[in-house]
Amino acid sequence: MQQRKIRRHSAHPLKAQRNTREKLGPDKRSVYGSKKSLTKEPDDVSGKGPTKAKVLVVYRIGFVRAGVLSLIEKSMQFVVCGETDEAPLARELFLCHKPHLVVVGLRLGGADGIQLIKEFRNLNPVAAILALSEHADPFSAQRAFRAGARAYLTIDDAPELLRAFDKILAGHPHVAASVLPLILSNFAAGTKNSRNPDINNLSDRELEIFSFIGRGVSVSELASELHVSVKTIETHQMRMKEKLALHTAAELRQKAREWLAKSAQNRIREDPESE
C-alpha cells in the first residue's frame, strides 16, 4: 500500500473551491482524488516531542477531508495518523494506529457511517468519535449518538472542530451550535405530538434506506449505492412497511417523502438562511 505523509497536503478550509481538484495532475491528487491514504506514525507521538492526540479522518469528499486535515495540522494538541474515504481501509487504520479521536462522515462510498461508528465503538470504547455531517439533521444526530459518537458537527461548523475534540477527550459530549436548536425542537415536537412514533421504530439501516426512498432513489440504484443485492433492499422495504403499518411500496414512498419534507420544513423554520 502506498505510503503518504500528511504534510504534503496544502492547507484548505472546509469550504475550499471544488475546482481545485481539477487543477491537480494525476500524480498530485493528494486527498482530493485519492481513494485511500495510510500515513506513517507521527514523530510527535514517538517520544521526539510533546505527545499529541492521534486523529483518524474518514470522509468521502476529498476537499472536505483536506480541510479537516489542515485544521488539525495547525493545532498544537492533535496530529493526523491516517485518512481515507473507504470503510474497509478505515477499519485497518483504526486497528493499526489506535487513534484517540476519529472523525467519521455519515455517508461513505458503499458504507454507512453510522455502522462504522458502531464498529469503532466495539473495537475500542475509549476512542472518542466525532460524527461529521454535510447538513444539520436532528435524526442523523440522534442516530450518531446512539451508535456511540460523542460529538456531532456539520461541515459548516469548522471553527468548533478543535474545541469539540477537547470536550470529547475530556469525556463531555458536544453538539454544534447550529444543530442543537434543531435537536431540541425535534425533541419538543416529539413529546407534544406522538402521532409518528413508528418512525422511531426503524433501525439505523432502515432509516438510511427510508431517506433514500424519500429522495426518489429506485431499488436498483439503492442496491448499487449501498453495495447490496436488490433482494436485500426489498427485504428492508418489507420490514419497514410492517413497522409503519403500510401495505404497498407506493405508500412507503409517500411516507418517506412526507417525512423528508417535514424535516426540511423544521430546518428552514429554525434557520431560514439555510435554504
Side-chain angles (χ1 to χ4, degrees):
M1 184 179 299
Q2 182 179 359
Q3 301 289 320
R4 301 183 181 209
K5 290 186 176 180
I6 294 300
R7 294 299 177 185
R8 292 181 53 199
H9 305 313
S10 58
H12 290 79
L14 292 185
K15 288 192 173 182
Q17 297 181 354
R18 285 180 170 82
N19 59 14
T20 302
R21 290 175 289 173
E22 301 173 357
K23 297 178 181 179
L24 297 174
D27 58 341
K28 298 181 179 180
R29 292 181 299 171
S30 184
V31 294
Y32 297 100
S34 173
K35 279 292 180 182
K36 50 192 174 182
S37 175
L38 178 62
T39 64
K40 295 181 179 179
E41 191 74 11
D43 289 341
D44 303 84
V45 295
S46 62
K48 298 180 181 180
T51 300
K52 294 185 177 183
K54 295 181 291 184
V55 186
L56 171 62
V57 180
V58 187
Y59 203 85
R60 69 185 183 93
I61 302 175
F63 78 89
V64 173
R65 200 164 66 250
V68 172
L69 299 179
S70 178
L71 287 172
I72 295 172
E73 287 175 350
K74 293 176 182 178
S75 73
M76 298 298 292
Q77 307 99 318
F78 311 103
V79 61
V80 175
C81 64
E83 52 90 8
T84 182
D85 63 352
E86 296 180 346
L89 182 60
R91 297 183 189 97
E92 294 180 23
L93 292 168
F94 187 86
L95 292 172
C96 175
H97 291 295
K98 297 178 176 58
H100 304 93
L101 292 149
V102 187
V103 177
V104 179
L106 297 186
R107 288 190 60 191
L108 302 171
D112 179 15
I114 297 294
Q115 183 59 38
L116 193 60
I117 291 174
K118 290 180 179 178
E119 293 183 32
F120 287 160
R121 188 67 173 170
N122 290 331
L123 289 170
N124 182 10
V126 177
I129 303 172
L130 183 149
L132 185 62
S133 177
E134 294 179 33
H135 307 288
D137 178 13
F139 288 99
S140 64
Q142 180 183 13
R143 293 174 64 214
F145 280 111
R146 190 167 59 194
R150 298 184 190 174
Y152 181 95
L153 302 180
T154 72
I155 59 176
D156 292 327
D157 300 312
E160 296 185 43
L161 184 68
L162 300 182
R163 182 159 58 91
F165 282 173
D166 286 331
K167 288 186 65 176
I168 61 180
L169 278 180
H172 306 294
H174 181 84
V175 179
S178 64
V179 183
L180 186 57
L182 299 178
I183 294 177
L184 296 177
S185 176
N186 185 68
F187 176 77
T191 56
K192 287 189 285 186
N193 184 0
S194 59
R195 293 171 58 187
N196 287 321
D198 41 14
I199 297 295
N200 295 326
N201 292 332
L202 299 181
S203 68
D204 289 328
R205 188 61 156 177
E206 289 168 347
L207 191 57
E208 179 189 23
I209 293 173
F210 189 65
S211 66
F212 275 112
I213 292 174
R215 297 185 184 100
V217 179
S218 69
V219 172
S220 59
E221 291 172 337
L222 188 49
S224 176
E225 171 71 19
L226 299 180
H227 292 251
V228 297
S229 68
V230 170
K231 181 65 176 177
T232 298
I233 298 299
E234 291 175 341
T235 299
H236 281 299
Q237 285 184 321
M238 180 184 67
R239 291 173 180 169
M240 285 188 287
K241 286 187 290 185
E242 291 176 355
K243 291 181 179 181
L244 301 176
L246 303 174
H247 303 287
T248 66
E251 290 179 347
L252 183 63
R253 287 194 297 271
Q254 180 62 27
K255 184 79 170 180
R257 284 195 293 265
E258 292 174 354
W259 175 71
L260 282 181
K262 185 176 180 180
S263 298
Q265 289 172 1
N266 289 337
R267 288 197 297 270
I268 294 172
R269 184 160 52 246
E270 293 294 334
D271 184 9
E273 296 183 357
S274 65
E275 294 296 319

